[in-house]
Amino acid sequence: MKTEILIDVWQRLLADPRKSWVLFEQGTCVVLTAPDGELAEQATEILKKFGPSHAGSSAGDFGVIDLKDVEGWVVTGHHNDVLTYVGPDEPQGRSEISVGLFGRSKRHQDGTELHVVHVEDKRGSADPA
């Protein structure tokens, strides 16, 4: 999926003006609830730890969120702030299991390759005037 499409999707999904986030190549987004220092480095450390999936452990668990405002799904994992977007044309099937396994594989790839494609730094953008 093209990076521009992924950025647009996440900008629509994470419209909160206080949420900083980092996007990785396969569509995994790390939301930084306490952004500090270099955001790409902070997100990479989180994804390095919580991105790779390991069957039979909590790292293999996933949940699927059917999106209302955007076509596709968000696949969750064992860290609340690590989310992976799955487009409507990506998985082989549209069942929750198919979508979840596909999203988990994308998260795993992002968690092992760790290639940042976009940083959305919202620090200071929501300060009262």
Side-chain angles (χ1 to χ4, degrees):
M1 184 171 289
K2 289 187 175 186
T3 301
E4 299 78 34
I5 293 170
L6 290 170
I7 292 169
D8 179 63
V9 164
W10 283 111
Q11 284 174 333
R12 288 192 281 153
L13 291 174
L14 300 172
D16 185 332
R18 298 162 299 194
K19 296 277 187 200
S20 293
W21 49 272
V22 176
L23 177 63
F24 292 80
E25 189 171 30
Q26 300 304 317
T28 301
C29 179
V30 176
V31 179
L32 299 167
T33 55
D36 183 42
E38 177 57 45
L39 300 185
E41 287 178 18
Q42 186 180 358
T44 297
E45 287 305 310
I46 292 169
L47 193 59
K48 186 187 299 182
K49 183 174 181 180
F50 294 98
S53 62
H54 308 287
S57 73
S58 63
D61 293 348
F62 60 82
V64 176
I65 301 169
D66 197 356
L67 302 173
K68 306 293 181 239
D69 299 329
V70 176
E71 282 192 87
W73 304 267
V74 167
V75 176
T76 63
H78 62 298
H79 189 293
N80 292 338
D81 300 317
V82 176
L83 309 165
T84 304
Y85 174 72
V86 175
D89 301 330
E90 290 187 287
Q92 291 283 4
R94 296 179 76 85
S95 72
E96 192 170 302
I97 293 291
S98 296
V99 171
L101 289 172
F102 191 82
R104 182 178 71 180
S105 72
K106 289 176 63 166
R107 184 188 77 222
H108 178 79
Q109 189 173 350
D110 276 336
T112 53
E113 294 176 357
L114 301 168
H115 185 233
V116 172
V117 295
H118 181 77
V119 175
E120 194 83 6
D121 189 346
K122 298 286 183 88
R123 293 177 291 187
S125 65
D127 287 345

